[in-house]
Amino acid sequence: DERGRATVFACLDKADLPHVAPVGRLDMASEGLLLFTNDNAWAARLTDPASHIDKTYHVQVACLADETLTCRLEEGLRIEGDFLAAKKARVLRHGTRTSWLELVLDEGKNSLSRRLLEALDIEVLRLVRIAIGPLVLGDLPKGAVRRLTPEEVGALKGNAGGENSKFEIR
């Protein structure tokens, strides 16, 4: 980091890996599933907006969300020349002043979920990526690392599994 802040690479220090790079990104205020690879072609395919690989997020928002909001998120908005929309949106649960949403995005536009919610004057309190395609974060502890199985890599490459295959990361 240009400012000397800690990065996700600190999690890889003891992982005994060759040089790898992140596939996509999570901004400083986000957490969750992040893939690393040394296969540039594979990374490019996963991050290419034309691939439409679903990325699923759980988002805590500073409002009591309802079906009207989830419909607006799916209908989308034009923001600064970009059309932004969630592929799917649903309310997971409510607190007394906050809600958790599940957003499924299939485009790799920068900070799409944050930009979409902020355009609706909704503050994002927490954002966690819980899945990329068929890979589901599961109960892997924060900061932990594990290698993907050949089947998981194949499913992301489109060579195995299929749309209904799910792999939980543990």
Side-chain angles (χ1 to χ4, degrees):
D1 179 75
E2 69 280 354
R3 295 187 203 160
R5 295 172 295 194
T7 70
V8 294
F9 288 101
C11 299
L12 303 178
D13 284 345
K14 297 175 184 150
D16 189 34
L17 296 170
H19 174 73
V20 292
V23 178
R25 59 184 292 271
L26 286 172
D27 61 33
M28 289 286 290
S30 301
E31 60 188 280
L33 180 58
L34 183 61
L35 302 175
F36 289 83
T37 187
N38 58 2
D39 182 339
N40 294 337
W42 185 67
R45 182 187 174 283
L46 284 176
T47 57
D48 182 355
S51 69
H52 293 283
I53 294 174
D54 289 351
K55 289 152 193 93
T56 305
Y57 297 85
H58 285 178
V59 185
Q60 184 182 29
V61 294
C63 71
L64 295 178
D66 58 16
E67 189 176 328
T68 302
L69 173 61
T70 58
C71 288
R72 295 234 16 231
L73 293 168
E74 290 177 355
E75 290 167 3
L77 298 165
R78 185 154 302 281
I79 303 168
E80 298 172 0
D82 278 335
F83 180 76
L84 305 178
K87 181 177 179 180
K88 295 178 190 167
R90 68 183 180 107
V91 177
L92 294 172
R93 64 187 175 276
H94 295 288
T96 56
R97 295 187 308 263
T98 67
S99 299
W100 279 90
L101 303 172
E102 181 173 86
L103 300 180
V104 178
L105 311 175
D106 69 349
E107 292 186 272
K109 292 181 178 169
N110 191 23
S111 301
L112 189 153
S113 52
R114 285 185 190 280
R115 291 171 58 203
L116 188 55
L117 288 160
E118 287 168 3
L120 295 170
D121 291 324
I122 296 172
E123 180 184 3
V124 173
L125 301 173
R126 192 166 171 209
L127 190 142
V128 183
R129 181 166 40 208
I130 62 144
I132 298 174
L135 297 178
V136 179
L137 183 58
D139 58 7
L140 189 70
K142 193 178 220 177
V145 175
R146 79 151 179 86
R147 291 179 185 263
L148 296 180
T149 66
E151 293 80 16
E152 291 167 333
V153 173
L156 284 170
K157 286 183 176 179
N159 296 333
E163 191 172 319
N164 295 323
S165 296
K166 288 279 185 196
F167 298 96
E168 188 165 325
I169 296 177
R170 296 187 174 274

